[in-house]
Amino acid sequence: MLGELEKSEKAALSIAVGFLLFFFGLLVYAAKGMNIDVPTCITDVKPFTEGRVIQHSPDRYEVHYLAYMWAFDPMEIEVPKGATVDFYLTSKDVIHGMHIEKTNVNMMAIPGTVAYARYTFTKPGEYRVICHEYCGIGHQDMMAKIIVK
Ligand code: CUA
């Protein structure tokens, strides 16, 4: 009980709690400051069976990536510089990974679930979409491409 603690124990507890709050604050600050979107496993989108690109406005896109052995559908997409893209990802067969190089988009493609991440492409160029979860003999060739114009 708190009342029976030594002064030094109380001090140690306060310091520990202080540190916890401080580091939690740092985490929140870093996530906000670096504009990190934590990938989420969402439940309100049903797993889909084919890839899709939907353009909502000149700079808003929605991409449904279907991962399968050993490719992504769609294989190649093109968006304008500055476009914000909502990525939805699922798998048709086994567990795959999906990393968009030069970005912080990094998700798992798990059959029966849909992962989500958002990214704004501020720099033009070619971005490879890479499977980073070993998924069989064709794993190292499993990639797609995003072209930002
Ligand atoms: Cu799919 Cu590795």
Side-chain angles (χ1 to χ4, degrees):
M1 277 200 269
L2 219 54
E4 293 162 9
L5 291 178
E6 296 277 341
K7 254 193 179 145
S8 61
E9 288 175 316
K10 279 186 192 166
L13 264 180
S14 309
I15 290 170
V17 170
F19 268 113
L20 277 178
L21 290 175
F22 176 67
F23 285 117
F24 184 71
L26 279 185
L27 274 178
V28 172
Y29 175 76
K32 290 277 172 215
M34 296 168 72
N35 207 11
I36 291 174
D37 264 327
V38 179
T40 51
C41 209
I42 48 162
T43 52
D44 58 338
V45 169
K46 288 222 159 59
F48 36 87
T49 54
E50 57 185 20
R52 263 177 101 186
V53 181
I54 305 154
Q55 184 175 2
H56 291 295
S57 73
D59 62 349
R60 287 304 301 265
Y61 288 79
E62 182 178 328
V63 179
H64 295 187
Y65 270 119
L66 180 69
Y68 60 97
M69 291 188 233
W70 287 279
F72 292 98
D73 176 21
M75 269 181 62
E76 190 174 310
I77 67 167
E78 205 178 291
V79 297
K81 181 185 161 227
T84 297
V85 185
D86 287 316
F87 291 104
Y88 295 90
L89 172 71
T90 192
S91 169
K92 184 155 92 174
D93 37 46
V94 298
I95 294 177
H96 299 275
M98 189 187 115
H99 171 59
I100 304 176
E101 69 174 358
K102 299 182 275 187
T103 76
N104 58 10
V105 177
N106 188 331
M107 296 188 278
M108 299 298 293
I110 301 168
T113 72
V114 177
Y116 167 77
R118 171 179 288 174
Y119 191 77
T120 300
F121 291 91
T122 53
K123 290 191 191 119
E126 286 191 8
Y127 297 72
R128 284 184 306 165
V129 178
I130 299 158
C131 178
H132 58 64
E133 183 72 22
Y134 182 72
C135 55
I137 195 141
H139 163 70
Q140 69 279 356
D141 298 321
M142 180 167 168
M143 57 182 84
K145 200 192 278 180
I146 299 170
I147 299 165
V148 180
K149 289 242 164 156

